[in-house]
C-alpha cells in the first residue's frame, strides 16, 4: 500500500490513540515463524539486521531505515535474512475512539522509508528504557515519546522526496557510523565526500537538526555509553574505541552532554537492562 505522508500524518493528528506496549525483540539468523499479529496495530522499527515480514500475503523487507506498520489479527510470516541477528522494536498502540474518515489503521499494513536518523534512534532508545518503568510519570513520558517518534518518522519521510540533499546526508552519516573511531573532522568529512563545508553544514542541520561536528560527537558519545555498559574496559580504552584520542576531552564532553562523568554513568546504569 502506497502511503501519502501528509494524509497519514493528518490521520494520526485526528485519531485518538495510546501506547499499548513496547517490545524489544531479537531473532537469530535463519529463524522464521508463522502466526497472527497482535490484537492491536503497531509499528516495527528495525534496529539491526534484516528480515522479511509478510502481512496477509504482502512481503516487506525490513532493515534500519525502513519501517513497517501492521494491522491487528493479520496473518504474519516472518524470517530472518542473512547471517546477522535481527533486532527490532515493536510498538503496539490502541485506537481509543472511532477513527475519522480515511482508512482504518487496525486493518492496514504498509511500509515507510525514513532513511538514517540519529534523532529517531535516540528517541527509540529512550522509549525502550522508559516504557519498562512503573508509575504514571513513565506512562506519560511513553505517550509523549511515541508521538515524538511519529513526528520524526513523518519528517524523515517528507525529506526522502528532497533528492540529492537526503542522499548526501545518508552518505556522510553512514561514513561517520563506519569510521567514527578514526581521526575525523568536519573538513575531512567534506573532502572525503566531495562537498564543501557550507553544503555539509546545511544538509546536517536540515536532516539531523545539528551540524556534522555535533553529529559526530553525539554518535561517538552514544557508542561510548554502549561500551561503558557492555564491558569493563578502562575509561581510556573506552575513549579510544569511541574515537576520542584524549581521555580528558572524552570525560569533559561526556559530562557536558550527560551531566555526569563516564565513571558515574557506568556505576549508575551498569545493572540496568536496556
Amino acid at each position: 500500500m502506497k502511503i501519502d505522508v501528509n494524509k497519514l500524518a493528518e490521520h494520526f493528528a485526528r485519531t485518538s490513540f495510546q501506547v499499548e506496549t513496547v517490545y524489544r525483540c531479537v531473532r537469530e539468523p535463519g529463524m522464521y515463524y508463522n502466526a497472527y499479529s497482535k490484537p492491536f496495530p503497531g509499528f516495527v522499527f528495525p534496529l539491526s539486521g534484516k528480515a522479511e515480514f509478510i502481512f496477509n500475503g504482502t512481503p516487506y523487507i525490513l532493515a534500519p531505515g525502513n519501517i513497517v506498520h501492521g494491522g491487528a489479527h493479520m496473518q504474519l510470516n516472518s524470517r530472518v535474512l542473512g547471517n546477522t541477528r535481527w533486532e527490532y522494536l515493536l510498538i503496539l498502540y490502541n485506537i481509543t475512539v472511532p477513527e475519522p474518515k480515511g482508512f482504518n489503521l487496525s486493518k492496514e499494513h504498509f511500509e515507510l522509508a525514513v532513511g538514517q536518523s540519529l534523532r529517531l534512534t535516540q528517541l527509540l532508545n529512550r522509549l525502550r528504557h522508559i516504557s519498562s518503568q512503573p508509575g504514571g510519570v513513565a506512562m506519560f513520558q511513553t505517550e509523549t515519546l511515541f508521538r515524538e517518534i511519529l513526528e520524526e518518522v513523518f519528517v524523515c519521510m517528507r525529506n526522502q522526496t528532497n533528492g540529492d540533499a537526503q542522499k548526501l546526508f545518508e552518505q556522510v552519516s553512514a561514513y561517520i557510523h563506519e569510521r567514527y573511531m578514526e581521526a575525523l573532522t568536519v573538513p575531512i568529512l567534506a573532502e572525503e565526500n566531495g562537498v564543501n563545508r557550507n553544503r555539509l553544514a546545511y544538509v546536517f542541520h536540515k536532516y539531523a537538526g545539528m551540524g556534522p561536528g555535533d553529529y559526530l560527537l553525539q554518535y561517538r558519545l552514544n557508542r561510548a555509553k554502549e561500551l561503558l555498559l557492555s564491558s569493563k574496559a578502562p575509561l581510556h580504552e573506552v575513549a579510544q574505541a569511541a574515537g576520542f584520542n584524549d581521555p580528558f576531552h572524552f570525560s569533559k564532553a561526556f559530562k557536558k552532554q550527560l551531566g555526569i562523568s563516564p565513571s558515574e554513568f557506568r556505576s549508575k546504569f551498569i545493572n540496568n537492562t536496556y
Side-chain angles (χ1 to χ4, degrees):
M1 177 181 178
K2 187 174 178 60
I3 291 294
D4 182 304
V5 59
N6 290 310
K7 290 183 179 179
L8 180 62
E10 181 180 355
H11 192 78
F12 269 100
R14 298 178 181 277
T15 299
S16 180
F17 59 92
Q18 63 185 33
V19 176
E20 186 65 27
T21 191
V22 178
Y23 293 106
R24 173 183 173 269
C25 304
V26 178
R27 301 286 184 265
E28 298 298 326
M31 288 187 64
Y32 65 92
Y33 60 90
N34 303 321
Y36 281 87
S37 61
K38 303 293 183 180
F40 301 98
F43 289 92
V44 179
F45 289 88
L47 301 176
S48 64
K50 190 175 184 180
E52 179 184 51
F53 274 38
I54 303 176
F55 283 101
N56 285 349
T58 300
Y60 299 97
I61 301 299
L62 285 84
N66 204 38
I67 300 165
V68 164
H69 178 277
H73 299 296
M74 289 185 171
Q75 184 178 351
L76 173 60
N77 309 101
S78 174
R79 64 189 179 103
V80 180
L81 303 176
N83 299 317
T84 304
R85 284 201 317 173
W86 160 243
E87 181 181 0
Y88 63 96
L89 200 67
L90 174 62
I91 305 176
L92 299 177
Y93 64 94
N94 185 19
I95 300 169
T96 56
V97 297
E99 296 178 75
K101 292 182 179 180
F103 51 84
N104 189 333
L105 289 168
S106 292
K107 297 181 179 179
E108 299 291 351
H109 54 82
F110 48 83
E111 183 178 35
L112 305 175
V114 298
Q116 298 289 336
S117 169
L118 179 62
R119 181 170 185 267
L120 180 58
T121 300
Q122 293 172 334
L123 289 171
L124 290 171
N125 286 334
R126 287 175 58 196
L127 178 66
R128 183 175 65 178
H129 174 61
I130 290 174
S131 64
S132 64
Q133 298 180 2
V137 173
M139 183 182 299
F140 180 83
Q141 290 175 319
T142 295
E143 296 295 335
T144 301
L145 279 171
F146 181 49
R147 283 156 176 78
E148 289 186 40
I149 287 169
L150 288 179
E151 178 189 9
E152 182 65 13
V153 166
F154 298 148
V155 170
C156 289
M157 287 176 63
R158 184 183 60 190
N159 289 343
Q160 289 293 309
T161 64
N162 289 344
D164 292 342
Q166 176 68 22
K167 290 180 182 178
L168 177 60
F169 171 72
E170 292 183 0
Q171 174 183 316
V172 180
S173 60
Y175 186 92
I176 290 172
H177 298 170
E178 292 175 4
R179 307 178 71 168
Y180 64 90
M181 72 293 296
E182 300 178 11
L184 296 182
T185 62
V186 173
I188 289 175
L189 289 173
E191 181 179 352
E192 290 294 322
N193 290 275
V195 295
N196 63 52
R197 294 173 61 179
N198 289 338
R199 173 65 172 168
L200 192 62
Y202 167 79
V203 167
F204 269 79
H205 278 290
K206 182 177 181 65
Y207 294 108
M210 64 184 76
D214 290 333
Y215 185 97
L216 172 61
L217 175 62
Q218 189 64 56
Y219 192 84
R220 283 171 167 167
L221 290 174
N222 286 342
R223 180 59 180 149
K225 288 191 290 183
E226 294 174 1
L227 293 171
L228 286 168
L229 298 181
S230 63
S231 75
K232 296 181 180 180
L235 294 184
H236 71 275
E237 292 184 8
V238 171
Q240 186 174 19
F244 295 90
N245 292 327
D246 183 352
F248 175 76
H249 173 64
F250 164 62
S251 296
K252 184 177 179 181
F254 194 98
K255 188 168 185 178
K256 182 177 180 180
Q257 288 285 330
L258 282 85
I260 57 176
S261 69
S263 58
E264 291 171 331
F265 177 86
R266 172 181 271 171
S267 177
K268 184 175 181 179
F269 294 108
I270 190 65
N271 295 320
N272 286 7
T273 300
Y274 287 84

